[in-house]
Amino acid sequence: MGYRLVLFLCACGLSLSVHGVDYATELNLRYAPYADWEQHLTLEQIKAAEPEIWWRSPEAIRASRSDSGEALSGVHLAIDPGHIGGEWAATEGRDFVIGPEDFRVREGELVLEVARLVQAELVEMGAEVTLLRNSATPLNPKLPEAYLTAATERIERPNEVSWASLLDYAYALKQAMNRMYAVAGELEERARLVNEEIKPDALLSLHINAAPWPLDRDGAVKYSLVDSNHTHVLIFGCLSDAELSSPRQKEQLAVKIANGSATIERELGQALGLSLGKATALPASKYNGKNAVQLAGHTPYLWTRNLMLLRYVECPVVLLEPYIANSKESYPRIQEALERRHSGRPLAEGDILVEYAQGVVAGVLDVYGPGAGH
Ligand SMILES: [Zn+2]
């Protein structure tokens, strides 16, 4: 069931308050801190958004719970195990290995394991938890071939007609087509499922970060582990002027501003940033460019970025990026986690995937649990 949100509007300029939040300030500090947003977005566009709101705030969920109820009763969370894994891991660019005997590190498979652990814990405490996927199979109902025309617009045709150049062209087209299917097309379907079918109180998207591979003296990629290892979480924000020039992105921003998910995203991002920082005992990640921004008064583990999933999903959504998978510290821990699961040996004390799951569960309890809000 959705209801329409009442917007409180002032007559002067773009002054818009939803749930007591002034959105000119939100645009300046969170959604478009480096852009001249007044050139792109008008109050009329935000008013025209008329969002459907199906989720309940943590406060409303806690208030409707009886004292004798389970710690998380009344909460419906969706969990997105990021990426796909399996035969799609290489196409996604989420598949690597260092030593010839090592287990392949595939982000989509690692976070699915974490998602299952989190689901089991939260369900035990009375929450309803929907995993967007429970295997390494894409959810995108289209075929990769549906992206062929779009791929031809991206890949330059060869100038000369030779077998070698035509084969290279066909290979590049196939790569681009598969990638659009497994990345952008897949994200679009996941967001559609959340917005139109699952309609949870919030979505948590689980990832494990990785650093760019170092380069050797000749500029060639060196597949060796990096020193840096850190943790952060992301909520929607930080659109550039170019992104605000896109009618679709502007429309999605207007919906997110008008629907009041901003405040809950801050609350979830703050709690999960702190709980994952504590669970992983890693420092907060840092962005140096203008594609991400931190929020004043919040934990340094929380950043805002304009990622497709964060923009497409209408309800509160937080994307988690703990660890650097190709770091000297995390890679051996991931190998041990994979080896013990593969061989059936008991999990190690401090298993990295269990540690990740515990961090997520603690953050969810901090927001929706009985002790929250005090
Ligand atoms: Zn990822």
Side-chain angles (χ1 to χ4, degrees), residues 185-201:
E186 178 70 13
L187 286 172
E188 195 150 0
E189 173 60 10
R190 290 187 193 189
R192 190 199 67 75
L193 278 171
V194 173
N195 292 336
E196 295 177 17
E197 296 185 23
I198 302 170
K199 295 180 181 273
D201 290 315

Side-chain angles (χ1 to χ4, degrees), residues 152 155-160 169:
T152 58
I155 307 294
E156 220 175 303
R157 281 167 183 268
N159 292 323
E160 49 158 327
Y169 178 56

